Amino acid sequence: MKVLMGAVAAVIGLVVLALLAVVGVVIGDDDASAAESTSASGGLKGVPAEFSKWILKADEACKQQEMTPALLAAQLWQESKFKTSKEEATSEAGAQGPAQFLPSTYATWARDDDGNGEASLWDVGDAVMAQGRMMCSLLKQAKSSGYPGDVRALALAGYNAGWYRVQQYKGVPPKRFAKGETFNYVQIILSTMPRFQGPSLIQVSGHGSGADALRKAVGRIGTPYAWGGGGPSGPSKGFCDGTNGYLNGDCVASSTTGFDCSGLTQYAFAPKLKLPRTASAQYGATSDRPVSRSDLKEGDLLFWSHGGSGSIYHVAIYAGDGNVVQAPRTGRDVELAPLTSAMPERDYYGATRP
């Protein structure tokens, strides 16, 4: 985007470009809603830590299968080389931040994703999530357009030049447009993607209720924890009960869309298996199929109780190789964690096979 903006602005002016950059983009919350995705099937490499978390979140929030972490990473590299300073990440045409948004375009996609009280195109989290939302919408529009070619290329061209240019040429603008800058932008990003494609976060093999549930839970890594949130149909806003759902004294669960531990397991096993809502009830519903710690298989449910013998307070899904997928606590996200440190070791209660 950065390169093209300078060239086009010289011809038609920055104000006109800013207006046209968003023409034809379809906006819809359903485009960027959390849904089962392929984010966990593709990791990242060569990406700064402060970007990696948000790239995975942005990918996980988009239900378009063509969206991948490597696509977003390669695009960010082309836009800013992961730079965040105003000196290094401001183009001649006024595009700003690591995702190189014009302020007028950013306003369409801006949210305070990092929760610092400001939706800023200079904040890594806010910028990357806005990039993901815009690309998600463009991918959806590219798929429905009927234009020939890779839908990722069409979406990238729309991000760079504005969707109206894709409509004008009924595809990626040719090399003669803007001296080939959009054409080259698309080609460079698509060819750079393998550089950032890391190993899978989790290799889930086989089928059956356990493997399928694990695969589904893995797709939610990065989704926020919300006390009382989530269920068979997916994440939802939680609630505070006087004790749980608070962070630094504030009730955050009621404004957070996500999962708590048992909401995540309900979602993972639905609709094939209808688990009860709480961790304790889920243990009760599956306790007739206990599994020893030495015989754990992918998809088994693991439980923790206070002191290892009191009331059950937590449930997670075994992910193999000594790891679990879990929604840990308020202020955290669904994560892959070692079994030995997912919760206090002394609290481990046992496992069942749903």
Side-chain angles (χ1 to χ4, degrees):
M1 181 184 291
K2 171 171 61 175
V3 177
L4 176 63
M5 292 303 183
V8 176
V11 179
I12 60 176
L14 179 58
V15 176
V16 176
L17 177 62
L19 292 172
L20 291 175
V22 296
V23 173
V25 175
V26 175
I27 304 169
D29 288 342
D30 60 327
D31 293 345
S33 63
E36 186 177 358
S37 76
T38 60
S39 63
S41 65
L44 285 172
K45 65 180 180 182
V47 176
E50 64 268 28
F51 280 86
S52 181
K53 170 185 176 180
W54 293 106
I55 289 172
L56 292 173
K57 280 179 175 286
D59 173 63
E60 195 272 339
C62 177
K63 65 183 179 181
Q64 304 302 320
Q65 293 182 350
E66 293 79 8
M67 176 78 86
T68 66
L71 174 62
L72 293 173
Q75 186 179 24
L76 283 163
W77 175 256
Q78 179 64 16
E79 293 287 2
S80 67
K81 302 296 187 291
F82 302 121
K83 302 297 185 182
T84 58
S85 70
K86 291 186 179 180
E87 293 76 15
E88 296 176 298
T90 300
S91 77
E92 294 179 359
Q96 300 174 6
Q100 287 292 277
F101 278 105
L102 286 171
S104 56
T105 305
Y106 178 70
T108 301
W109 307 101
R111 295 179 193 172
D112 180 19
D113 291 286
D114 60 11
N116 69 355
E118 179 184 11
S120 171
L121 53 74
W122 291 105
D123 292 342
V124 171
D126 294 349
V128 173
M129 294 300 288
Q131 172 203 6
R133 282 189 284 272
M134 183 173 178
M135 280 295 293
C136 192
S137 179
L138 286 165
L139 284 167
K140 182 179 180 182
Q141 190 157 345
K143 290 166 72 173
S144 64
S145 69
Y147 299 148
D150 189 332
V151 295
R152 299 172 302 173
L154 295 171
L156 288 168
Y159 191 97
N160 177 262
W163 183 253
Y164 76 103
R165 291 297 190 186
V166 178
Q167 292 176 315
Q168 176 184 349
Y169 291 100
K170 296 185 175 9
V172 175
K175 288 184 178 181
R176 67 177 183 274
F177 170 73
K179 298 181 180 179
E181 291 171 358
T182 297
F183 182 89
N184 291 329
Y185 173 90
V186 171
Q187 295 303 312
I188 290 170
I189 291 173
L190 293 179
S191 65
T192 306
M193 284 176 59
R195 169 181 176 178
F196 300 102
Q197 181 65 60
S200 299
L201 298 178
I202 302 176
Q203 294 285 352
V204 183
S205 59
H207 294 282
S209 60
D212 291 344
L214 174 60
R215 191 174 292 109
K216 202 172 174 185
V218 164
R220 289 299 185 173
I221 289 176
T223 300
Y225 181 97
W227 170 263
S233 60
S236 65
K237 288 185 177 179
F239 60 89
C240 297
D241 66 355
T243 302
N244 300 290
Y246 300 88
L247 186 64
N248 299 324
D250 296 325
C251 176
V252 297
S254 61
S255 59
T256 301
T257 299
F259 294 97
D260 65 10
C261 65
S262 54
L264 176 66
T265 52
Q266 264 197 327
Y267 165 78
F269 282 92
K272 295 180 181 178
L273 178 63
K274 296 181 180 180
L275 290 173
R277 181 60 184 85
T278 66
S280 179
Q282 289 180 8
Y283 177 77
T286 59
S287 60
D288 60 334
R289 298 180 293 280
V291 180
S292 68
R293 193 156 174 169
S294 60
D295 291 328
L296 289 171
K297 293 183 179 179
E298 294 179 350
D300 286 345
L301 292 175
L302 301 97
F303 298 89
W304 286 260
S305 69
H306 296 289
S309 59
S311 59
I312 290 172
Y313 69 83
H314 186 65
V315 59
I317 300 175
Y318 188 64
D321 297 324
N323 296 309
V324 303
V325 176
Q326 65 169 0
R329 64 176 181 270
T330 300
R332 299 270 293 277
D333 299 329
V334 176
E335 64 180 7
L336 177 68
L339 169 57
T340 55
S341 59
M343 290 289 147
E345 181 68 12
R346 66 180 181 276
D347 287 355
Y348 182 75
Y349 188 84
T352 64
R353 186 156 295 154

